[in-house]
Amino acid sequence: MCIGQVGNLLPHVTLSANLAQHLMPAWGLSAAEGGLMASGYAFGYMLAVPLLTTLTDRIDARLVLLWGSIASGLATVAFGMFAQGFWSGTAIWSMAGLGFVGAYMPGLKALTDRLPAGDTSRAVTLYTSSFSVGVGLSFLVAQIIADRCGWRTAFVVTGFGPVAMVVACLLMQAQRPAPKVGRLLDFVPVFANREALGYILGYGAHCFELYGIRTWLVGFWTFVIAHQGAPSWLSPVVMSFCFAVISMPASILGNEAALKIGRHRAITMVMIASACVALVIGFNATAPAGVLALLLLAYGLTVPADSGALTAGMSAAAVSEHRGATLALHSTVGFGLSALGAWGTGVALDAAGGPQSARGWLLVFIVLAVGIAVGPLALLWARMVRLEKRPS
């Protein structure tokens, strides 16, 4: 499943990896337009996830995963072949995000449905943290192929990545879920589960920050090279790949810390640290490239370190009969705020002077810091509600 997910993620940041260097100059896009086009992926995901993920409570999640993987790959190839500007690019990339709905959270459902009874925290964390490996490879492959063969070829090649998950689905043993009654899109039991809701809202703050920095990481490092210079080996390809890949051990270690000192405490510490690192980067956007590289690597550790603990906490808090609906709301909130993060940071960049302005990048990192700082408040709210309900 983890290998299949890495394949499914090969197209994931192909647009972000080529946005600042290729697509924006080719199509004459502003940062706000570029951010909005990138957010189309998360927006398409957000629209379809309530239906497709809750559907896994009624049919084998393997089937949703299979067809979602196929749709995601085909849409990515279509972007490389047919996208001609902002509107067509946004529409096709939104379709890729819609396909990814079936290619991510249903995979988590298919995995947990086939695990033996007991604590699944480490298995869930391994699956979610392999997300980072896939994103790192997506950054790497998309940029290398675009530089050598053009950005259209990069989309076509990465669009074949989901074949790995298609193979995994075909090898997976079929399951028949227990019959369910009631409405398909019934989120009332999920909203009543305050513990799970706290993790879901925290995940939304995490996704806002994560998608915001992933959208503009290559653009920021391009700014650093243009204004401060950097060794030839410290290219945007190298920085984006390292930033993404170190997310996997960060997420695993974050979850291990959560198991030892408590999820709420560990997640809160990570989120506060991440906000602080973002502010330090923003206020030092004109520092030497070596200093900024170290700061970005530190940010690459703090940004994903709460991911596994948040998803594992949500999964543990979910009522088994409504796990698909809980996963659906988890993804809806997460990718909805992902779309806002990509677009909002682009608007901030334009408002403060554009991609060539240090003030623009300062405002981007301030927006990211404010976004992740909402997470601890959501967890505190959920904890207070739970304490109020305890018998005295």
Side-chain angles (χ1 to χ4, degrees):
M1 287 295 294
C2 291
I3 293 172
Q5 182 178 215
V6 169
N8 260 345
L9 285 160
L10 199 60
H12 194 67
V13 291
T14 304
L15 188 143
S16 297
N18 290 290
L19 182 61
Q21 292 182 315
H22 297 288
L23 297 176
M24 287 173 63
W27 292 341
L29 303 178
S30 67
E33 289 173 327
L36 187 59
M37 185 166 64
S39 72
Y41 191 93
F43 185 70
Y45 190 105
M46 180 187 69
L47 290 179
V49 72
L51 175 62
L52 292 184
T53 308
T54 53
L55 189 63
T56 62
D57 281 333
R58 286 168 165 76
I59 67 172
D60 189 351
R62 178 183 70 98
L63 298 176
V64 181
L65 179 62
L66 173 65
W67 290 106
S69 302
I70 293 171
S72 174
L74 289 176
T76 305
V77 172
F79 190 102
M81 296 178 65
F82 304 117
Q84 297 296 330
F86 171 75
W87 291 108
S88 61
T90 302
I92 298 174
W93 200 233
S94 297
M95 293 300 296
L98 191 151
F100 189 65
V101 174
Y104 179 50
M105 275 300 173
L108 181 60
K109 179 70 160 54
L111 175 65
T112 54
D113 284 348
R114 287 163 174 80
L115 290 173
D119 185 12
T120 62
S121 179
R122 287 187 173 90
V124 170
T125 298
L126 184 61
Y127 177 82
T128 55
S129 61
S130 65
F131 196 105
S132 305
V133 177
V135 171
L137 287 176
S138 181
F139 268 123
L140 182 66
V141 173
Q143 290 178 82
I144 290 176
I145 293 178
D147 289 342
R148 295 182 179 179
C149 307
W151 64 264
R152 290 190 182 276
T153 304
F155 278 91
V156 172
V157 171
T158 56
F160 282 93
V163 170
M165 185 59 91
V166 171
V167 173
C169 288
L170 295 176
L171 295 175
M172 199 181 301
Q173 187 175 2
Q175 275 193 342
R176 179 173 294 179
K180 295 293 189 297
V181 295
R183 293 178 296 155
L184 179 61
L185 298 177
D186 184 8
F187 293 109
V188 173
V190 184
F191 283 109
N193 186 344
R194 300 291 182 174
E195 185 178 2
L197 200 57
Y199 288 115
I200 289 169
L201 294 175
Y203 181 70
H206 159 78
C207 288
F208 178 93
E209 179 188 39
L210 178 65
Y211 213 78
I213 185 59
R214 279 182 179 165
T215 299
W216 295 108
L217 176 61
V218 172
F220 175 66
W221 198 249
T222 300
F223 162 82
V224 172
I225 291 175
H227 288 78
Q228 285 92 269
S232 58
W233 57 268
L234 208 55
S235 65
V237 175
V238 172
M239 282 304 303
S240 57
F241 176 73
C242 291
F243 186 93
V245 169
I246 61 176
S247 297
M248 183 173 187
S251 183
I252 293 173
L253 291 173
N255 185 66
E256 291 298 317
L259 293 175
K260 287 181 170 59
I261 67 174
R263 283 198 180 99
H264 279 228
R265 181 180 299 175
I267 293 168
T268 297
M269 291 171 62
V270 167
M271 288 179 166
I272 292 173
S274 197
C276 291
V277 175
L279 291 175
V280 171
I281 294 174
F283 281 104
N284 293 277
T286 56
V291 173
L292 286 170
L294 292 176
L295 287 172
L296 276 176
L297 290 178
Y299 199 39
L301 291 172
T302 61
V303 169
D306 53 1
S307 176
L310 285 164
T311 303
M314 174 276 302
S315 182
V319 178
S320 59
E321 292 80 5
H322 305 291
R323 182 170 285 119
T326 307
L327 289 171
L329 186 63
H330 189 72
S331 287
T332 301
V333 171
F335 278 81
L337 287 172
S338 292
L340 183 61
W343 176 68
T345 47
V347 170
L349 190 57
D350 276 343
Q356 300 306 316
S357 166
R359 290 179 63 250
W361 291 111
L362 168 61
L363 188 56
V364 165
F365 283 100
I366 289 176
V367 169
L368 294 175
V370 171
I372 193 59
V374 174
L377 298 177
L379 292 174
L380 179 62
W381 166 79
R383 186 174 179 82
M384 289 175 64
V385 171
R386 187 175 60 181
L387 290 174
E388 288 173 0
K389 290 186 175 182
R390 281 185 180 176
S392 56

